[in-house]
């Protein structure tokens, strides 16, 4: 769903006491077209949005309402919840709510998240009660201990002629059973706590999403630290595996081992790299590519040399759980490594020069497809921005394993996306870029770029699971990329009609739909119904 940029333009224009005709003349469009924009009936972006922001003397990010676009996405998901989807919502109700009552919209979003967390927690406890054999065993232990304590207590109460030795024996039995009962109860509580934390695994991921959107996926302190570290490394030699290996050894006492068994984990360790903090050995699988080695060496160097900067970044982030902090620490460490391997200004200049040709950038920086894609989504420096990209990764089963959100584009947080997206089509043509222009139900259009990647096998019998990486940008920026060649960006008849996922999609006529429509507005379309209606009678054939 489009953010209410037009309403914001109208409010700002009126605050400056500018007429529609005056603003239209300043930005070089007709008053009627500006009227359509202000009523949110036409999209605005690119150079036109920049001119409007300039003449209204307002920051372009504030005008575009990037955070409000995220709020719109949250409301889209909340209003599609089965609990409320049958209510007669108006088509523009969510957009108007965000535009006119943003605090109320944020309250609804937070309540929906809290509701989702509560349901997840309740499901976790219900699963434990229904099916966990360990829980059943613990409950039997508790019942046995209670029975033993009760029996001993009844004997002490009902048998008055017990001698002191027998009385002490029953008291000791009660003491042992009480201690055992206490231990089992602690274990039981621990099992519930562990289950609840495990089942809330989606919440930390949502917290990381919020952090990335809040910072617009750009962390200036990490960029500055990366520039300093890059200079240190290049002062010792060319930025490559050899120089990084030597500096890790001389400065931090780290030994780098290629091939053989991973340190302290045996020969069956499935990962491509591992750092053992006790022995200070960084191990790489022999099949690890040059791109993997260079990136992980830079990542370890950055985490050791700029640990205080990473710690400050974590401290300033609002994270509610150890899992969220761990995920954020990994994300910030990876960001720092990317900024070291791909210096911001130089990388942006190269990307613009080759029109964002990912294969050309891979050759220039000795990097992998995924590493280049990661760096492209971080080019958000104010005044020196690249194309705003979103990022998505999927395994062959269609499960989404990583994503960097793009405000305005509803990327599912987990589960599966729309089956028509290029990220799934890429599996049919391995190692080949798939380019796709898509159009959502609200009229927004995007360029999707997807390609499969896989790591090298380490042994004949090793099965390597490929993944698909997708970049997405608004079609307004598509002509700046090499991938627009041969595409008629103005011909919307060639667009692929898509949605975010079947559950959130409002396209009732889609032949690829796998779930019934749950979006607000109208009755749900039944896609799983019998050929013969329920009220069919034999006489109806007349």
């Amino acid at each position: 769903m489009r953010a209410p940029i037009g309403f914001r333009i109208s409010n700002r224009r009126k605050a400056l006491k500018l007429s529609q005709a005056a603003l239209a003349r300043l930005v070089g469009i007709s008053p009627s077209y500006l009227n359509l924009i202000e009523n949110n009936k036409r999209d605005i972006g690119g150079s036109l949005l920049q001119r409007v922001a300039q003449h209204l003397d307002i920051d372009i990010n504030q005008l575009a309402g990037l955070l409000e676009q995220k709020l719109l996405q949250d409301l889209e998901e909340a209003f599609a919840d089965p609990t409320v989807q049958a209510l007669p919502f108006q088509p523009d109700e969510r957009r108007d709510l965000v535009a006119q009552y943003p605090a109320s919209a944020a309250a609804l979003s937070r309540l929906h998240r809290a509701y989702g967390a509560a349901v997840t927690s309740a499901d976790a406890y219900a699963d434990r009660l229904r099916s966990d054999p360990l829980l059943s065993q613990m409950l039997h232990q508790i019942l046995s201990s209670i029975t033993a304590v009760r029996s001993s207590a009844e004997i002490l109460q009902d048998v008055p002629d017990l001698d002191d030795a027998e009385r002490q024996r029953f008291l000791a039995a009660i003491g042992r059973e009480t201690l055992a009962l206490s231990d089992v109860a602690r274990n039981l509580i621990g099992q519930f706590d562990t289950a609840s934390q495990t089942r809330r695994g989606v919440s930390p991921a949502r917290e990381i999403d919020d952090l990335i959107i809040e910072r617009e996926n750009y962390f200036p302190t990490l960029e500055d630290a990366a520039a300093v570290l890059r200079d240190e490394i290049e002062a010792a030699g060319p930025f490559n595996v050899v120089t990084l290996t030597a500096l890790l050894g001389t400065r931090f006492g780290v030994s780098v081992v290629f091939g053989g068994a991973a340190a302290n984990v045996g020969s069956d360790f499935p990962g491509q790299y591992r750092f053992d903090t006790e022995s200070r050995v960084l191990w790489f699988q022999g099949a690890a590519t040059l791109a993997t080695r260079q990136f992980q060496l830079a990542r370890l160097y950055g985490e050791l040399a700029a640990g205080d900067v990473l710690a400050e970044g974590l401290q300033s982030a609002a994270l509610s759980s150890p899992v969220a902090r761990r995920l954020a620490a990994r994300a910030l460490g990876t960001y720092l490594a990317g900024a070291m391997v791909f210096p911001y200004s130089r990388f942006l200049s190269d990307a613009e020069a080759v029109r964002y040709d990912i294969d050309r950038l891979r050759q220039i920086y000795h990097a992998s497809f995924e590493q280049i894609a990661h760096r492209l989504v971080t080019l958000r420096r104010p005044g020196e921005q690249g194309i705003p990209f979103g990022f998505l990764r999927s395994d062959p089963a269609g499960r989404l394993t990583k994503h960097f959100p793009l405000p305005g584009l509803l990327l599912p947080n987990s589960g599966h996306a729309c089956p028509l997206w290029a990220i799934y089509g890429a599996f049919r043509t391995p190692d080949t870029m798939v380019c796709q222009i898509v159009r959502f139900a609200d009229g927004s259009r995007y360029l999707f770029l997807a390609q499969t990647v896989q790591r090298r096998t380490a042994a004949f019998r090793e099965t390597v699971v490929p993944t698909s990486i997708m970049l997405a940008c608004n079609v307004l920026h598509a002509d700046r990329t090499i991938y627009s060649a041969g595409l008629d960006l103005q011909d919307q008849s060639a667009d692929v009609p898509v949605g975010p996922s079947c559950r959130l999609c409002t396209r009732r006529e889609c032949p690829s739909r796998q779930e019934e429509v749950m979006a607000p507005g109208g009755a749900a379309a039944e896609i799983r119904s019998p050929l013969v209606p329920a009220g069919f009678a034999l006489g109806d054939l007349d």
Side-chain angles (χ1 to χ4, degrees):
M1 175 177 287
R2 292 173 289 184
I5 300 177
F7 295 155
R8 197 172 294 104
I9 292 175
S10 177
N11 292 336
R12 179 64 176 173
R13 177 182 59 78
K14 293 175 181 177
L16 296 176
K17 298 182 179 179
L18 276 175
S19 66
Q20 277 191 341
L23 179 59
R25 185 170 56 253
L26 289 172
V27 299
I29 60 175
S30 67
S32 59
Y33 190 71
L34 178 59
N35 182 62
L36 292 174
I37 290 175
E38 289 192 351
N39 285 283
N40 220 48
K41 295 180 179 180
R42 290 292 186 274
D43 287 330
I44 179 173
S47 59
L48 176 57
L49 182 61
Q50 292 177 353
R51 293 198 303 273
V52 170
Q54 179 183 358
H55 288 290
L56 291 179
D57 192 23
I58 186 174
D59 182 78
I60 190 169
N61 290 331
Q62 182 181 353
L63 183 60
L66 300 183
L67 294 179
E68 293 184 2
Q69 288 178 332
K70 176 61 169 57
L71 183 55
L72 269 174
Q73 295 173 8
D74 290 343
L75 287 185
E76 185 86 8
E77 185 174 350
F79 281 33
D81 191 282
T83 308
V84 299
Q85 61 90 18
L87 296 176
F89 295 111
Q90 298 301 314
D92 295 334
E93 190 164 336
R94 286 148 288 172
R95 184 188 64 199
D96 295 344
L97 183 62
V98 171
Q100 300 180 37
Y101 306 103
S104 297
L108 284 176
S109 173
R110 293 182 185 181
L111 287 172
H112 180 256
R113 285 197 184 187
Y115 164 74
V119 170
T120 301
S121 180
D123 287 344
Y125 288 122
D127 286 345
R128 283 289 179 180
L129 291 172
R130 284 194 301 262
S131 59
D132 194 333
L134 180 59
L135 174 61
S136 177
Q137 182 180 356
M138 286 182 173
L139 291 176
H140 280 293
Q141 291 179 7
I142 290 175
L143 182 59
S144 298
S145 297
I146 292 175
T147 302
V149 170
R150 180 178 178 181
S151 298
S152 297
E154 287 177 347
I155 292 174
L156 289 174
Q157 180 179 356
D158 298 337
V159 182
D161 55 348
L162 290 175
D163 57 31
D164 290 340
E166 290 177 328
R167 187 175 296 276
Q168 290 299 323
R169 180 163 59 84
F170 285 113
L171 289 174
I174 291 175
R176 288 194 305 270
E177 294 298 338
T178 303
L179 289 175
L181 182 61
S182 177
D183 291 338
V184 174
R186 289 195 190 96
N187 290 337
L188 181 61
I189 294 172
Q191 286 296 318
F192 273 107
D193 288 343
T194 301
S196 180
Q197 291 295 330
T198 302
R199 290 295 299 272
R200 284 201 299 266
V202 67
S203 297
R206 290 292 291 268
E207 289 187 55
I208 302 303
D209 287 347
D210 292 343
L211 173 63
I212 290 173
I213 290 178
E214 178 188 348
R215 309 292 176 86
E216 298 183 26
N217 206 14
Y218 176 72
F219 297 83
T221 56
L222 296 184
E223 296 284 353
D224 294 340
V228 172
L229 295 178
R230 176 84 184 206
D231 290 341
E232 289 180 2
I233 295 168
E234 291 184 330
F239 188 91
N240 56 29
V241 170
V242 175
T243 303
L244 286 167
T245 301
L247 284 177
L248 282 170
T250 56
R251 184 174 178 184
F252 301 107
V254 173
S255 300
V256 181
V257 176
F258 298 101
N264 297 334
V265 293
S267 59
D268 58 345
F269 178 68
Q272 294 189 80
Y273 54 87
R274 178 182 175 85
F275 178 61
D276 183 66
T277 55
E278 295 184 3
S279 62
R280 301 191 75 75
V281 172
L282 177 61
W283 169 85
F284 286 98
Q285 188 182 77
T289 64
L290 174 63
T292 297
R293 296 180 184 183
Q294 177 179 263
F295 191 89
Q296 297 305 327
L297 286 168
R299 178 182 165 196
L300 179 59
Y301 188 91
E303 290 185 1
L304 293 175
D308 54 340
V309 178
L310 293 172
E312 289 177 7
L314 284 175
Q315 188 174 5
S316 63
L319 304 170
S320 63
S321 68
V323 175
R325 286 189 288 273
R326 175 170 56 81
L327 292 177
R330 179 181 178 87
L332 294 182
T334 301
Y335 186 103
L336 179 62
M340 293 169 61
V341 176
F342 313 107
Y344 191 100
S345 297
R346 187 192 313 176
F347 182 79
L348 176 59
S349 177
D350 289 336
E352 293 281 357
V354 300
R355 299 186 63 195
Y356 292 85
D357 188 329
I358 296 178
D359 289 318
R360 291 283 299 278
L361 293 172
R362 291 180 60 188
Q363 299 302 314
I364 295 172
Y365 290 93
H366 308 291
S368 69
F369 183 94
E370 185 169 356
Q371 290 168 6
I372 296 294
H374 266 245
R375 188 52 169 156
L376 286 175
V377 302
T378 65
L379 301 180
R380 308 289 177 86
R381 177 180 291 173
E384 193 182 1
Q385 296 181 344
I387 293 178
F389 283 107
F391 175 99
L392 202 61
R393 187 180 70 187
S394 169
D395 63 20
R399 185 175 61 92
L400 305 179
T401 57
K402 182 188 293 186
H403 84 291
F404 292 101
L406 175 66
L409 173 60
L410 181 57
L411 294 177
N413 293 294
S414 59
H416 298 76
C418 173
L420 300 177
W421 284 13
I423 192 171
Y424 300 128
F427 285 112
R428 296 192 290 270
T429 57
D431 301 319
T432 302
M433 178 71 77
V434 176
C435 305
Q436 182 186 53
I437 301 293
V438 302
R439 186 175 70 255
F440 286 80
D442 64 355
S444 57
R445 303 170 70 219
Y446 292 87
L447 170 65
F448 283 176
L449 309 171
Q451 183 171 318
T452 58
V453 299
Q454 66 180 31
R455 62 181 177 85
R456 293 176 179 173
T457 57
F460 171 71
R461 297 188 180 278
E462 181 180 357
T463 301
V464 177
V465 177
T467 58
S468 180
I469 306 294
M470 188 178 83
L471 288 173
C473 71
N474 194 296
V475 76
L476 295 171
H477 306 289
D479 58 353
R480 295 170 58 186
T481 73
I482 193 69
Y483 306 105
S484 64
L487 297 176
D488 186 353
L489 301 179
Q490 303 302 319
D491 182 11
Q492 297 192 19
S493 65
D495 295 352
V496 179
V498 300
S501 64
C502 282
R503 188 174 69 86
L504 298 176
C505 183
T506 58
R507 295 188 183 277
R508 301 173 185 273
E509 75 284 358
C510 178
S512 299
R513 176 173 292 282
Q514 299 298 313
E515 298 181 58
E516 294 184 356
V517 176
M518 291 195 296
E526 297 180 355
I527 65 169
R528 297 291 182 266
S529 58
L531 292 176
V532 179
F536 175 78
L538 192 59
D540 294 340
L541 291 176
D542 294 340

